[in-house]
């Protein structure tokens, strides 16, 4: 989960020339007020104060907040959290203000973090905070997770509300982390039927995956009719991932992005897992090109990390010949159960647009001409044009390269 993979992605975007077709902003850092809109005050305060040098003084608190093993304390940890969280909230603010159709933060997507607990190298749940920002304008927000691991932290945050629907496609069973995401987990109270889990087995390929993803999301979009969509694009569902056991190609993975973009609903794309970092960079570069509608060469351009992509130096990946354990019968049963669950969703009522309070401090550029207070009066962030220092330069230094 090191930020080095984000620098590699950004470098490919630069050398493919894709940045010329985007507005690229350096994110504002999220502050305590932003993060405690969901997370507990004492948890955020702990993240701000603990360091590798002082962690031995906080052994009981480390255990309480689940920090130390798969969520280690590292130099720059708090600034790392502030940066990736600020990017996701900022993307949501731009969507809320109509300044973009699609916003991307490949550094975000840390879906395991809980209200008072780190989990799976996720400390602050930027996704939950971005969704809360979107709810200021949109009455309903749809969250989709294609990481191989269940999006448990986001599901938990919104398990009892119908204003956010969560849909997660993930490996389930055999004690695979985090161990949640059974198809019978559908939400609770007002949120019943607004959590949808699609459990998959090892070796799932493009054909099986998209034969589930497209009809399920078509049904969800038709029935739920969200005002905005957040798509977590964890790349550990790709073939060849060090921890993952799925067998998706770049094109199969990116088909989820293309399909959701086709609905024309404001879309926030976030990163997530991915542990073969050269493939993570390939994936998110290709998915950026997909959003932009740009064809890019399978021959990787020269870049600062070119040697990482050997021995073939190609963009696309060749799936393995591993057995797809998701039989047609199994997929059909999962699909039928999912579509049956969607039928229980209530259609949106009449005028349900939420009133928009002031934007988060990590968010939007000034819209100009207004006399409002807070973030709307902030100076508009300057666009990066590729000619000066890389706005992602600081990323690789946070938490090591």
């Amino acid at each position: 989960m090191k930020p080095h993979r984000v620098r590699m992605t950004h470098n490919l975007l630069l050398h493919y020339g894709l940045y010329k077709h985007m507005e690229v902003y350096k994110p504002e850092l999220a502050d305590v007020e932003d993060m405690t809109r969901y997370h507990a005050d004492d948890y955020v305060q702990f993240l701000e104060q603990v360091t590798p040098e002082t962690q031995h003084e906080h052994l009981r608190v480390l255990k309480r907040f689940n920090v130390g093993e798969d969520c280690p304390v590292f130099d720059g940890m708090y600034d790392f959290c502030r940066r990736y969280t600020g990017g996701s909230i900022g993307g949501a603010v731009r969507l809320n203000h109509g300044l973009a159709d699609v916003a991307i933060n490949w550094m975000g997507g840390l879906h395991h973090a809980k209200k008072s607990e780190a989990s799976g190298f996720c400390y602050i749940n930027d996704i939950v905070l971005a969704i809360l920002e979107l709810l200021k304008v949109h009455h309903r927000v749809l969250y989709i997770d294609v990481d191989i691991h269940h999006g448990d932290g986001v599901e938990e945050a919104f398990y009892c509300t119908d204003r956010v629907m969560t849909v997660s496609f993930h490996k389930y069973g055999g004690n695979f982390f985090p161990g949640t995401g059974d198809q019978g987990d559908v939400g609770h109270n007002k949120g019943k039927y607004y959590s949808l889990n699609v459990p998959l087995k090892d070796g799932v390929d493009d054909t099986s995956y998209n034969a589930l993803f497209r009809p399920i999301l078509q049904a969800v979009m038709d029935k739920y009719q969200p005002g905005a969509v957040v798509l977590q694009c964890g790349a550990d569902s790709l073939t060849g991932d060090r921890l993952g056991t799925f067998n998706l190609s770049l094109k199969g993975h990116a088909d989820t992005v293309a399909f959701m973009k086709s609905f024309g609903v404001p879309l926030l794309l976030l990163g997530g897992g991915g542990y073969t970092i050269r493939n993570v960079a390939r994936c998110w570069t290709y998915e950026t090109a997909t959003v932009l509608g740009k064809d890019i060469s399978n021959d990787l351009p020269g870049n600062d990390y070119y040697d990482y992509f050997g021995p073939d130096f190609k963009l696309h990946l060749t799936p393995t010949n591993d057995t797809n354990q998701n039989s047609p019968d199994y997929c059909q049963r999962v699909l039928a159960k999912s579509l049956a669950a969607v039928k229980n969703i209530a259609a949106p009522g009449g005028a349900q647009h939420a009133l928009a309070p002031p934007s988060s401090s990590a968010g939007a550029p000034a819209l100009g001409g207004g006399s409002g207070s807070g973030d709307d009066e902030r100076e508009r962030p300057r666009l990066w044009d590729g000619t000066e220092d890389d706005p992602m330069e600081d990323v690789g230094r946070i938490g090591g390269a």
Side-chain angles (χ1 to χ4, degrees):
M1 292 295 286
K2 288 184 176 180
H4 189 51
R5 62 195 188 139
V6 182
R7 295 191 68 194
M8 292 175 66
T9 302
H10 193 260
N11 205 255
L12 280 181
L13 296 176
L14 172 66
H15 289 281
Y16 267 118
L18 292 173
Y19 75 94
K20 298 176 183 177
H21 308 284
M22 299 184 285
E23 293 184 347
V24 181
Y25 294 94
K26 187 173 182 177
E28 297 284 345
L29 300 181
D31 61 21
V32 171
E33 183 179 355
D34 293 321
M35 293 185 282
T36 54
R37 290 191 63 218
Y38 173 62
H39 291 284
D41 292 8
D42 56 350
Y43 174 60
V44 174
Q45 183 180 34
F46 169 75
L47 294 179
E48 182 178 14
Q49 294 176 349
V50 70
T51 68
E53 293 74 28
T54 64
Q55 61 179 317
H56 67 280
E57 303 170 5
H58 306 280
L59 295 181
R60 291 182 64 183
V61 184
L62 285 169
K63 185 176 181 179
R64 174 187 168 196
F65 293 136
N66 196 38
V67 174
E69 294 189 9
D70 65 341
C71 301
V73 177
F74 58 88
D75 286 326
M77 179 180 70
Y78 185 64
D79 281 344
F80 168 67
C81 293
R82 295 183 68 198
R83 190 175 299 277
Y84 75 73
T85 300
S88 297
I89 295 174
V93 172
R94 295 191 66 78
L95 294 176
N96 280 350
H97 285 293
L99 299 173
D101 302 314
V102 180
I104 302 173
N105 177 27
W106 293 132
M107 194 178 182
L110 278 72
H111 58 169
H112 295 307
K114 310 300 194 299
K115 185 180 183 70
S116 300
E117 183 179 304
S119 178
F121 202 77
C122 302
Y123 301 84
I124 295 293
N125 200 313
D126 62 293
I127 306 170
V128 171
L129 295 169
I131 290 173
L132 291 175
E133 190 69 30
L134 290 168
L135 288 171
K136 293 178 179 180
V137 170
H138 305 284
H139 188 75
R140 286 182 163 191
V141 175
L142 172 64
Y143 171 69
I144 308 162
D145 194 313
V146 299
D147 195 292
I148 195 171
H149 301 96
H150 177 233
D152 58 333
V154 184
E155 180 184 273
E156 179 179 300
F158 299 111
Y159 203 64
C160 297
T161 180
D162 58 0
R163 290 198 60 197
V164 178
M165 181 169 184
T166 62
V167 182
S168 179
F169 295 76
H170 52 269
K171 178 178 175 177
Y172 180 70
N175 298 317
F176 190 72
F177 182 85
T180 53
D182 185 271
Q183 200 167 16
D185 298 335
V186 298
H188 181 67
N189 220 345
K190 285 188 67 177
K192 190 174 183 180
Y193 303 120
Y194 293 88
S195 292
L196 182 61
N197 288 299
V198 184
L200 299 169
K201 302 178 182 180
D202 289 350
V204 65
D205 58 19
D206 294 356
T207 301
S208 298
Y209 198 93
N210 290 310
L212 290 168
F213 186 91
R214 281 181 169 252
I216 289 172
L217 266 301
Q218 182 68 61
V220 169
M221 292 296 289
D222 289 345
K223 194 72 180 287
Y224 190 62
Q225 298 178 35
V229 173
V230 178
L231 176 57
Q232 196 265 24
C233 304
D236 48 8
S237 47
L238 286 173
T239 187
D241 188 79
R242 287 172 58 193
L243 299 184
T245 55
F246 285 179
N247 202 19
L248 299 181
S249 71
L250 257 62
K251 291 182 179 179
H253 198 277
D255 187 73
T256 63
V257 174
F259 188 64
M260 296 317 301
K261 181 176 181 290
S262 71
F263 289 96
V265 174
L267 177 63
L268 177 62
L269 297 180
L270 302 175
Y275 306 96
T276 303
I277 60 175
R278 61 184 180 273
N279 293 347
V280 176
R282 286 176 162 117
C283 179
W284 293 343
T285 298
Y286 184 68
E287 290 179 346
T288 303
T290 298
V291 168
L292 294 171
K294 301 295 180 182
D295 292 325
I296 55 177
S297 174
N298 191 37
D299 295 316
L300 291 171
N303 63 85
D304 296 352
Y305 304 96
Y306 193 70
D307 289 344
Y308 279 75
F309 298 100
D312 63 342
F313 305 101
K314 300 294 185 182
L315 174 66
H316 287 281
L317 306 173
T318 301
T320 69
N321 59 1
D322 291 349
T323 301
N324 181 0
Q325 297 183 20
N326 302 269
S327 67
D329 179 65
Y330 176 77
C331 291
Q332 187 57 45
R333 284 187 280 114
V334 170
L335 177 61
K337 192 170 182 179
S338 297
L339 295 178
V342 173
K343 291 180 180 179
N344 292 307
I345 297 171
Q352 292 184 324
H353 233 41
L355 296 177
S359 299
S360 165
S361 64
L367 300 181
S371 58
S373 61
D375 194 60
D376 285 348
E377 292 182 339
R378 294 166 61 129
E379 180 181 356
R380 182 183 176 96
R382 184 166 54 84
L383 288 171
W384 181 68
D385 61 6
T387 61
E388 300 178 9
D389 290 342
D390 185 340
M392 295 298 289
E393 185 66 26
D394 292 336
V395 171
R397 298 197 183 107
I398 300 174

